[in-house]
């Protein structure tokens, strides 16, 4: 073995000492390494360098990420960007078959590693070990594993007591040990067993003698009498660098020595550098091989060894290496890394601070562009300085100082809330670059308001403008980076556009919510959940308030269910999910990703690319509205918490508990855990079959059987839901099948409705019979001339467009709009438009000044927007028809008032659009051939030639309007001058008149008088009246007289009827100026022609009249006149007659030969002449085709027909007339409301065509209109106008006209007795209308062809246009007079001006619009009494008498007079408080005369009055114990309050000891005041100065002075001095006082006498 080992070792060491391994061992390849830069500001990404050796990947996307900015308060996760970098490198790897860092050869060879029988651990990270295949073994897998044999080593040896011929060349045969035989040596010889061989020996047959004997086992040797193990390690069986370990009889293990590796038979030196760099730090050291298993670590260049620290980098940082706000660190040999300090961003070489730091830097940068130019902006942003330093990210628009020109920064920032709002207008959430601003076009400020960005102009600077503002600010420098945002410098301060919801730091959130109509529904929800009080409580609350629109946009059924009793618990969670019990400024929301609500749910905040703030994907439209106790955010969506989903209760799975039986088994195994539910009930004995061990047989044994309690869930839907997903049944789950059928509900149901008898439809929403309606589908439909709306919820009205021709209305019988209003359908919805000179909503129209500033009738440089239509490229080229100035000037003044009225701009635009033909440029010759000249208004114009009488002229709309100027070319098209104003069919010639009437309201408190006028009216005057609930004094109340404006329908001259259609002949020549038109609103358009004229427009001659003037023919009875407008008047004589008049009988009758035609006359000279209307040579005469010439004289569009000589003209559909003149038919004036519903507006859209549109608050198709369920009570809109201490009741919507509305019984028409009619009106919050009120409503346009009860048992109904079916065509109030039989059945007309009912809450009195509580409640509700109230409350806590004092203030049975100091403090004396209350009677200021004494429980009060110099009978000013009365007669339900300039000081003695004052001093004092003007003026100045001083605590000082005779003061001045004290107890002063004054004491006769010193 030694001979073979030496060359191997020599070869090994040669390889180890070779300086470099052959290059063929390495297989290098080129690859690209990619990495991402650290996340940073997107606006800094271009300046961030890639790591050393890397380059930026071209055109690589910028990846969105977030980077952290740690401020002094929070850690901001700011959206940022990361760039991709790459590096191309040559990567060296070992070729296949080589391993380790030096790519050493795998065992055996590189061409066949591991002999092809295993896998070599190759590669740079490999260790060269062979993982042999199954059955192989050895370092190179060169042999079979133990007990394996054959070429593939897959066969297994089976020898038991013998040796196997194993190995790759073996065949697996067994050589049996002595004593054994058989193929596998498993059979022992019998003779051997008798020898009883010792341990480690066996029976063996001697090969020579054949004798059996005991011999040592293989691997053992004889040592005396024992067999001991043979030790192979005594021989050199292992490698020289290995150790041998004796492991068993003749067995050993070879293990390579330390520093070597291998299987012991082959050992190779270990190079530690090959594995994990020999333990050296690869980044700082290199590994050096020093011997087998040994190495050392040397420092790499740029590193140095430090004691105990290994190799460390040499410090490469220098002062200029990094930014001043960055830290420098050495990251590589000669390589430094710069990291910005906390709160800064950048690459370390450039670092940017927060917004305020950046502004400071920009404003103070020496020589910088903006040095000293941002001072004003920084002062403005000072109000939000802290958020701009600690939150973000924000986009900031910073105006330069010049942008504040004309404005004072100090005044702008004087009020904190406004300063913050102004600052937020210049802030936006997120970081928006100038590119983003320009690309998005719209962005949102931190207020929630939107703004627009205009593209750069010639200066290249984009401009921003807030919506609602005209001011534009140019971005003079943009994209200035800050750590928490981005800055844009602008050249103008943005306008502070008013917020949609005003901040009010003095009010609570609930007040702001209650005061804003957009939160009406949300306020209702707050009140339903009792969270309204929470919104009023002190503390910090943030509420995300969805608007009514947002709540209305919820999934159908959600809001209704949440508002129901069943959904209340979910409603509480829903509302609580909109409330956060802490204050969140908008800066917090931008900076924080989430917040937890009161519903314990998480809200997620997000900011869109253009700065809109989203809360759970719902947008914030107004941010951080400031209130005293929190912040409010206006939301355009709702925040549904997951805890209430699904919102609708669609699943009602059934749970059933039952007992199940288990298996019989061994009793010891029966425990509660065997039950799946864990609920064990009991066990019973049983018999089970127990299997025998290792057998298929069983034996019966006693055991136990268990019983468990189990809950079984069965899927089920709640009532009203069906299908596997539990979908709501048709009609809604709360009323499936509309309540008229059975829904096939449940999990297995399909949602079909099985309708009850009399019902049909997918939702059982229709009656089966087409003529039935009503809840039970058993009522006969009152629809008269149409198709019945046969729904159960219907009132029997007719279906849409089902009325027979000529009928309209709910029951195909009538029409509606204010008398001074027109129906407009031009925009697709029906609207009532007030006529010229009137304003209103069309239901009520009142007279107005059309040119009143500032709107000036709506006039502007653009003619109401029509110019924009002309200039719109989508409409060009246009053909425009322009009425002349003379035409416009000649219009009736009423029509001009209408057209120019500020409320009628829409109608004026309709007129103007009717003069514009879009998308065509028509020359004169093209007009007459135009088939359809549809205008921008939607209706068509027609054109015709002037005919024989107006040759060459062109007329518009049937010769009613002439073109006066032609071919006026302009850039957008062509224009024509016309001599009329074209009237669109939808408008008519309206000249409504605005009129007024006065409405007397009830008596109430004067303070609430203005609120008692109905909406739309104005207070005209106030009349004094007696308050019904107060017994203080007469004339303390006020009754407002309210003026109501309304429009009275009126047509302009030349127009007639309901819709003011033009009279026949046109507005410029009604009745062709040859008759009189029955015009006006009540007219029917009929022409009464002058003598000789006839026809619809008086444009024809009657029979026997001819020529333009329709002269009478003079033919005798034997002649026929050539009559008509175009006739000559010549007489055609009968045969045998002649003469000019055919009055001369011929003496000779001519006979022509051949004979003339029967239609001809024989004349002289054998001449035959055809008769009129015939043509030919006389011998043959054929009837003339008159219709082929000028349409036979018929109107354009009319049908000309001829039968023999007879010519007839028939007007086209939608027109009426004689055919020669055709006028449009107004379908809305036929029947009742043109067949539209009574709550719909009927609008004529073309001749004979109409459009029905439901009025506001109604829905339907116009023929059927149903009242909308108003989701928000009108009481939620500022309490419906009621007092805050009043309960408001919504009285339901009614279609009223000046307060009058029509009602009928629910059982049908004409079912109300007089008493029932009264009750119906009371139920609707009104009363039966008077005849005057009904007449006024009729003047306003109320038309109801249904008689109803009025006040005083009168019956009548109003009509506004002639209808033969209503009052035989009478127009006005059809009066049936007073009815004696009150049991007659009619409908009713009710009157109610208000839509809500106001009732003061218990404990308050008033009319609901003004409510007052008791004295204590008034004190609590008046802020200026807060100090006095505080003293009273303190008094009540300190003494029982104070508690009684509050009870007296609250006692409704006792009338009192309270004197309250106006927020002035009181001395700490309980008697002083009692001194302010006089019990027993409420004394108004009028009863407090000069010298009046008022008794209180602790003393008396004295009243001093100063007479008015101009009216000595009245008092100019009043004092109570020298305290000036600043306000008076503040009513309470149990008394009256007077306000004093300062507090009263109670006397030290008791009331029983109180003495009256001497009258002399008082008399002298008053006398001096009257005589000395100077004194009076001084007094006036004194009180004026005191009343104009700001609020301050004030006390009157008692003056102690010498009252002896030597004193300089001899007279008592009651205004400035205390009453002098007499030295004698029974002085003359006291005696005079008893004679002059009377004392006011408590009790029924409190005020005994009032004295006034003259």
């Amino acid at each position: 073995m030694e001979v073979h080992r030496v060359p191997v070792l020599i070869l090994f060491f040669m390889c180890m000492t070779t300086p470099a391994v052959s290059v063929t061992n390495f297989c290098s390849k080129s690859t690209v390494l990619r990495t991402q830069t650290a996340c940073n500001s997107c606006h800094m990404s271009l300046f961030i360098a890639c790591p050393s050796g890397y380059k930026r990947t071209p055109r690589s996307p910028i990846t969105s990420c977030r980077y952290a900015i740690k401020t002094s308060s929070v850690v901001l996760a700011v959206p940022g960007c990361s760039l991709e970098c790459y590096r191309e490198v040559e990567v060296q790897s070992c070729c296949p078959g080589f391993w380790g860092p030096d790519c050493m050869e795998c065992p055996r060879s590189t061409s066949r590693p591991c002999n092809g029988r295993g896998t070599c651990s190759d590669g740079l990270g490999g260790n060269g070990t062979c993982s042999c295949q199954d059955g192989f073994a050895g370092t190179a897998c060169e042999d079979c594993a133990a007990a394996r044999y054959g070429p593939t080593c897959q066969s297994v040896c089976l020898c038991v007591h013998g040796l196997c011929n194993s190995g790759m060349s073996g065949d697996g045969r067994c050589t049996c040990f002595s004593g054994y035989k058989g193929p596998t040596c498993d059979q022992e010889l019998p003779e051997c067993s008798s020898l009883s061989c010792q341990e480690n020996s066996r029976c063996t047959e001697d090969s020579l003698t054949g004798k059996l004997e005991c011999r040592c086992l293989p691997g053992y040797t004889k040592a005396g009498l024992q067999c001991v193990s043979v030790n192979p390690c005594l021989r050199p069986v292992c490698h020289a660098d290995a150790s041998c370990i004796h492991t068993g009889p003749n067995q050993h293990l070879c293990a390579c020595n330390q520093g070597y590796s291998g299987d012991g038979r082959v050992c190779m030196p270990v190079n530690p550098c090959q594995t994990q760099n020999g333990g050296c730090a690869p980044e700082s050291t290199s590994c050096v091989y020093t011997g087998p298993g040994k190495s050392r670590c040397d420092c790499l260049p740029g590193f140095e060894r430090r004691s105990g620290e290994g190799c460390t980098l040499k410090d490469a940082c220098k002062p200029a290496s990094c930014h001043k706000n960055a830290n420098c660190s050495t990251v590589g040999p000669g390589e430094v890394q710069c990291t910005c300090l906390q709160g800064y961003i950048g690459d370390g070489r450039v670092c940017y601070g927060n917004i305020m730091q950046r502004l400071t830097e920009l404003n103070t940068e020496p020589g910088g562009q903006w040095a000293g130019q941002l001072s004003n902006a920084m002062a403005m942003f000072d109000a939000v300085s802290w958020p701009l330093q600690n939150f973000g990210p924000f986009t900031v628009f910073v105006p330069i100082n010049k942008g504040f020109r004309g404005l004072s920064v100090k005044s702008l920032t004087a009020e904190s809330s406004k300063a913050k709002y102004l600052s937020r207008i210049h802030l936006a959430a997120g970081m928006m670059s100038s590119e983003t601003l320009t690309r998005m076009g719209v962005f949102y400020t931190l207020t929630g308001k939107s703004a627009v960005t205009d593209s750069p102009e010639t200066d290249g600077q984009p401009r921003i403008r807030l919506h609602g503002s005209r001011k534009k600010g140019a971005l003079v420098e943009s994209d200035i980076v800050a750590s928490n945002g981005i800055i844009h410098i602008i050249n103008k301060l943005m306008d502070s556009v008013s917020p949609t919801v005003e901040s009010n730091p003095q009010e609570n959130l609930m007040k702001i919510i209650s005061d804003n109509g957009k939160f009406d529904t949300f306020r209702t929800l707050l009140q339903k959940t009792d969270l309204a009080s929470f919104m009023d409580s002190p503390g910090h609350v943030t509420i995300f308030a969805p608007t009514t629109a947002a709540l209305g946009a919820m999934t159908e059924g959600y809001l209704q269910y949440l508002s129901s009793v069943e959904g209340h618990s979910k409603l509480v969670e829903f509302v609580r999910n909109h409330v956060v019990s802490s204050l969140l400024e908008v800066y917090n929301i931008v900076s924080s990703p989430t917040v937890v609500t009161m519903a314990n749910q998480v809200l997620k905040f997000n900011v869109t690319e253009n700065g809109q703030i989203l809360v759970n994907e719902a947008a914030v439209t107004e941010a951080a509205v400031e209130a005293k106790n929190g912040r409010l955010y206006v939301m355009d969506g709702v925040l549904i918490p997951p805890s209430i989903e699904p919102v609708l209760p669609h699943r009602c799975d059934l749970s059933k508990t039952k007992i199940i039986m288990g298996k019989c088994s061994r009793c010891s195994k029966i425990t509660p855990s065997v039950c799946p539910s864990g609920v064990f009930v009991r066990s019973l004995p049983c018999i089970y079959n127990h299997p025998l061990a290792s057998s298929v047989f069983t034996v019966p044994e006693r055991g136990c059987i268990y019983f468990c309690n189990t809950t079984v869930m069965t899927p089920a839907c709640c009532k009203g839901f069906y299908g596997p997903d539990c979908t709501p049944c048709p009609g809604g789950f709360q009323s499936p099948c509309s309540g008229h059928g059975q829904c096939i509900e449940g999990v297995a149901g399909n949602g079909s409705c099985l309708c009850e008898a009399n019902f049909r439809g997918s939702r059982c929403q229709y009656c089966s019979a087409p003529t039935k309606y009503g809840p039970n589908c058993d009522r006969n439909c009152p629809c008269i001339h149409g198709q019945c709306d046969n729904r159960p919820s219907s009132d029997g009205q007719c279906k849409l467009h089902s009325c027979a021709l000529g009928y309209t209305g709910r029951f195909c019988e009538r029409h509606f709009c204010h008398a001074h209003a027109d129906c407009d359908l031009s925009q697709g919805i029906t609207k009532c438009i007030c006529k010229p000179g009137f304003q209103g909503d069309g239901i009520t129209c009142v007279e107005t000044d059309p040119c009143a500033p500032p709107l000036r009738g709506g006039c502007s440089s653009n003619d109401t927007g029509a110019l924009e239509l002309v200039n719109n490229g989508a409409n060009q080229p246009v053909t425009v028809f322009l009425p002349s100035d003379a035409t416009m000037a000649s219009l009736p003044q009423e029509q001009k008032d209408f057209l120019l009225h500020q409320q009628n701009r829409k109608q004026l635009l309709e007129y103007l659009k009717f003069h514009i033909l879009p998308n065509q440029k028509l020359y004169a010759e093209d007009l007459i051939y135009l088939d359809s000249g549809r205008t921008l208004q939607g209706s068509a114009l027609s054109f015709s030639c002037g005919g024989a009488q107006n040759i060459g002229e062109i007329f518009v709309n049937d010769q009613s309007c002439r073109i006066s100027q032609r071919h006026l070319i302009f850039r957008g098209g062509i224009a024509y001058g016309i001599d009329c104003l074209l009237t669109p069919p939808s408008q008519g010639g309206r000249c409504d008149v605005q009129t007024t009437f006065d409405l007397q309201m009830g008596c109430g408190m004067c303070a609430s008088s203005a609120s008692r006028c109905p909406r739309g009216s104005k207070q005209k005057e106030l009349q004094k009246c007696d308050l019904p609930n107060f017994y203080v004094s007469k004339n303390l109340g006020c009754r407002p007289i309210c003026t109501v404006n309304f429009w009275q329908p009126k047509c302009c001259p030349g127009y007639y009827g309901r819709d003011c259609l033009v009279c026949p002949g046109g507005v410029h020549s009604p009745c062709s100026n040859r008759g009189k038109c029955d015009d006006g609103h009540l007219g029917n358009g009929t022409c009464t022609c002058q003598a000789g004229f006839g026809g619809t427009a008086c444009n024809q001659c009657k029979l026997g009249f001819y020529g333009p003037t329709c002269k009478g023919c003079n033919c005798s009875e034997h002649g026929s006149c050539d009559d008509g407008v175009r006739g000559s008047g010549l007489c055609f004589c009968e045969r045998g007659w002649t003469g000019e008049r055919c009055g001369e009988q011929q003496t000779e009758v001519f006979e022509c030969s051949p004979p003339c035609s029967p239609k001809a006359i024989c004349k002289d000279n054998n001449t035959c002449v055809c008769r009129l209307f015939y043509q030919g040579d006389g011998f043959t005469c054929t009837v003339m085709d008159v219709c082929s010439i000028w349409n036979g004289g018929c109107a354009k569009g009319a049908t000309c027909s001829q039968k023999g000589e007879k010519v007839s003209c028939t007007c086209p559909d939608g027109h009426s007339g004689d055919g020669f003149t055709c006028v449009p038919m107004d379908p809305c004036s036929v029947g009742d409301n043109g067949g539209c519903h009574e709550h719909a507006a009927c609008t004529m859209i073309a001749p004979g065509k109409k459009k029905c549109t439901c009025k506001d608050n109604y829905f339907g198709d116009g023929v059927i209109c149903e009242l909308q369920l108003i989701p928000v009570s009108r009481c939620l809109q500022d309490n419906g106008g009621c007092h805050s201490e009043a309960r408001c009741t919504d009285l339901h919507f009614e279609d009223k006209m000046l307060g009058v509305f029509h009602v009928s019984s629910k059982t049908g028409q004409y079912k109300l007795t007089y008493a029932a009619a009264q009750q119906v009106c009371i139920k609707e919050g009104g009363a039966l209308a008077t005849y005057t009120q009904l007449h006024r409503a009729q003047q306003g346009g109320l038309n109801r062809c249904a008689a109803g009860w009025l006040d005083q048992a009168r019956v009548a109904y109003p009509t506004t246009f002639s209808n033969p079916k209503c009052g035989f065509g009478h127009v006005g109030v059809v009066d049936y007079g007073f009815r004696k039989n009150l049991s007659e059945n009619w409908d009713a007309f009710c009157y109610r001006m208000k839509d809500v009912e106001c009732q003061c809450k218990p404990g308050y009195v008033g009319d609901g619009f003004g409510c007052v509580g008791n004295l204590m409640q008034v004190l609590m509700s008046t802020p200026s009494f807060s100090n006095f109230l505080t003293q009273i409350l303190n008094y009540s806590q300190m003494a029982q008498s104070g508690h009684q004092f509050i009870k007296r203030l609250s006692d409704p049975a006792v009338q009192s007079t309270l004197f309250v100091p106006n927020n002035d403090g009181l001395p700490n004396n309980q008697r002083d408080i009692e001194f302010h209350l006089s019990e027993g009677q409420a004394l108004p200021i009028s009863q407090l005369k000069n010298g009046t004494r008022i008794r209180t429980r602790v003393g008396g009060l004295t009243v001093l009055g100063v007479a008015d110099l101009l009216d000595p009978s009245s008092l100019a000013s009043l004092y109570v114990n020298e305290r000036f009365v600043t306000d008076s007669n503040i009513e309470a339900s149990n008394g009256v309050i007077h306000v004093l300039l300062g507090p009263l000081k109670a006397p030290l003695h008791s009331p029983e000891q109180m003495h009256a004052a001497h009258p002399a001093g008082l008399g002298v004092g008053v006398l001096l005041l009257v005589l000395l003007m100077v004194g009076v003026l001084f007094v006036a100045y004194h009180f004026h100065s005191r009343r104009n001083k700001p609020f301050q605590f004030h006390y009157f000082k008692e003056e102690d002075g010498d009252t002896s005779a030597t004193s300089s003061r001899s007279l008592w001045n009651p205004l400035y001095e205390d009453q002098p004290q007499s030295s004698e107890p029974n002085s003359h002063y006291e005696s005079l006082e008893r004679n002059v004054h009377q004392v006011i004491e408590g009790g029924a006769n409190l005020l005994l006498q009032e004295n006034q010193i003259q």
Side-chain angles (χ1 to χ4, degrees), residues 354-371:
N354 59 54
I355 292 170
M356 292 306 294
Q357 290 171 332
R358 294 290 285 130
L359 291 179
T360 301
E361 291 174 1
L362 293 170
N363 196 47
T364 58
E365 181 182 3
Q369 179 182 3
W370 306 113

Side-chain angles (χ1 to χ4, degrees), residues 350-474:
V350 176
C351 294
Y352 297 117
N354 59 54
I355 292 170
M356 292 306 294
Q357 290 171 332
R358 294 290 285 130
L359 291 179
T360 301
E361 291 174 1
L362 293 170
N363 196 47
T364 58
E365 181 182 3
Q369 179 182 3
W370 306 113
Q373 297 299 310
L374 307 180
S375 304
N376 289 347
M378 294 184 66
M380 178 184 73
F381 286 128
D382 186 64
V384 293
S385 174
W386 190 82
L388 292 184
Q389 296 178 65
N390 292 274
F391 296 115
F394 302 118
T395 300
V396 190
F397 300 96
V398 182
I400 59 177
N401 288 353
K402 290 183 179 178
F404 289 80
R405 184 171 299 166
L407 298 172
S408 168
V409 179
K410 185 176 181 179
S411 62
L412 290 174
T413 59
E415 189 174 338
S416 175
S417 61
K418 292 185 178 180
K420 292 178 181 178
Y421 185 79
L422 179 62
S423 297
R424 293 206 307 269
I425 283 180
H426 292 78
L427 298 173
M431 301 175 70
M432 290 180 282
S433 65
S434 57
E435 183 276 331
T436 301
L437 291 171
T438 304
R439 173 168 51 84
M440 298 300 293
V442 175
F443 66 94
Y444 295 85
T445 69
L446 274 192
T447 65
K449 287 190 175 299
S450 61
V452 296
T453 307
D454 295 336
S455 300
E457 298 182 1
T458 55
D459 56 6
Q461 298 173 346
R463 282 165 168 76
I464 62 171
R465 176 179 59 83
L466 294 172
H467 276 149
S469 171
R470 295 183 177 180
K471 184 182 290 185
K472 294 183 180 181

Side-chain angles (χ1 to χ4, degrees), residues 301-328:
F303 292 83
E304 60 184 357
R305 188 176 299 277
R306 293 184 181 177
S307 176
E309 297 183 8
C311 297
T312 59
L313 279 169
K314 296 179 180 178
D315 189 3
C317 289
K318 298 179 180 179
S321 297
C322 299
H323 190 268
K324 64 179 181 179
N325 293 318
N327 289 324
C328 179

